[in-house]
Amino acid sequence: MSNIFNLAGKTALVTGCKRGIGKAMALALAEAGADIIGVSASLELQDSTVEKEVLALGRKFYAYQCDFGKRENTLAFAAQVKADHPVIDILVNNAGTILRQPIAEHSDEYWDEVIAVNQTAPFILTREIGREMIARGSGKVIFTASLLSFQGGITVPGYAASKGAIASLTKAFANEWASKGVNVNAIAPGYIATDNTSALREDQDRSTSILSRIPAGRWGTPEDFKGPTIFLASTASDYVHGTILTVDGGWMGR
């Protein structure tokens, strides 16, 4: 049974890997045997915490920086990483941002930044790296979606729009690539104790309200994403296409 989760000999590209969910995903893939290409806007190019932890697992780590808020940066990164690593077996599109402002005051600048990072960059990376997966007849792509792929949220219209788009992109890519040996799926985190939710957790009324609706009775942790990530990156999920896997403590079931 362990063989179907074994990623030995694979190379995984994880965006937004410096901390939180992305770091946990990168470490999970390394624990399963994969070498890691890590990229974040502010990732240290040497001796980052995630690099040290991956190396300690006996895997290789290759660090890159990229500001995905600018299309030209995303295109340049895609070209460079493909040149440096001709075979990328697993792509995890996790990098993201969230900017909060009431919708009537939500600025164009906020909207453009969130859409660029959360929607445009993952589309470009998947298109560019996915071409090589199609040529090889194999590959795994994992998007990070959100509960706001299904709901509207409050004061985060750009984030909600971008994560709704990620859900649809997951299905659109899967519809075209499933027959070509490439699995495209998404993981939708619930309310997780990360930097993105610090404002919610610090608001006692909102935090209490949120916890009352989570059947598991707790905020999630980045470590809750290790198993789902390995599943979607491994042969265990070979017949899974276009699925949005909720990791939410039962929120959507409620």
Side-chain angles (χ1 to χ4, degrees):
M1 179 60 71
S2 62
N3 288 338
I4 66 173
F5 298 105
N6 187 351
L7 300 178
K10 304 293 185 182
T11 298
L13 168 57
V14 183
T15 73
C17 71
K18 184 175 180 177
R19 57 184 178 270
I21 293 172
K23 180 183 175 185
M25 289 172 151
L27 292 176
L29 294 168
E31 288 168 6
D35 293 326
I36 306 298
I37 304 166
V39 57
S40 292
S42 59
L43 180 67
E44 299 89 344
L45 295 180
Q46 288 185 326
D47 296 328
S48 66
T49 300
V50 63
E51 177 179 10
K52 291 175 181 176
E53 292 185 35
V54 168
L55 294 177
L57 293 167
R59 309 314 312 161
K60 296 176 183 176
F61 186 88
Y62 307 93
Y64 292 82
Q65 287 182 351
C66 184
D67 175 5
F68 291 117
K70 296 179 174 59
R71 183 187 300 252
E72 60 270 25
N73 292 351
T74 303
L75 288 166
F77 168 72
Q80 185 63 58
V81 78
K82 285 171 61 177
D84 294 344
H85 306 277
V87 178
I88 296 173
D89 304 285
I90 301 156
L91 170 61
V92 180
N93 287 303
N94 174 71
T97 191
I98 188 167
L99 296 172
R100 300 177 185 276
Q101 199 171 47
I103 200 165
E105 290 85 40
H106 206 81
S107 68
D108 291 345
E109 291 75 18
Y110 271 27
W111 175 270
D112 290 344
E113 173 72 11
V114 172
I115 295 298
V117 174
N118 292 7
Q119 179 177 331
T120 303
F123 169 73
I124 289 172
L125 289 178
T126 303
R127 181 189 67 196
E128 297 301 309
I129 292 170
R131 286 196 187 112
E132 314 307 323
M133 293 179 175
I134 290 171
R136 295 194 304 273
S138 66
K140 301 281 186 172
V141 178
I142 304 169
F143 287 98
T144 296
S146 168
L147 291 185
L148 297 197
S149 297
F150 312 101
Q151 302 169 346
I154 299 171
T155 73
V156 287
Y159 186 84
S162 68
K163 292 303 184 177
I166 287 300
S168 290
L169 277 175
T170 298
K171 298 168 190 175
F173 275 112
N175 287 345
E176 295 193 32
W177 291 2
S179 63
K180 304 179 188 300
V182 179
N183 296 76
V184 183
N185 294 287
I187 296 173
Y191 286 92
I192 312 301
T194 65
D195 293 348
N196 274 359
T197 60
S198 59
L200 294 178
R201 287 181 286 115
E202 291 165 6
D203 183 329
Q204 189 58 52
D205 290 339
R206 288 293 303 279
S207 181
T208 299
S209 175
I210 288 167
L211 282 173
S212 72
R213 292 186 58 187
I214 300 175
R218 67 173 176 87
W219 289 77
T221 68
E223 286 67 32
D224 289 318
F225 293 84
K226 287 189 169 185
T229 300
I230 293 172
F231 168 63
L232 290 178
S234 68
T235 59
S237 61
D238 278 354
Y239 199 58
V240 180
H241 296 275
T243 290
I244 303 167
L245 175 60
T246 55
V247 181
D248 62 356
W251 177 280
M252 288 301 294
R254 178 77 178 268

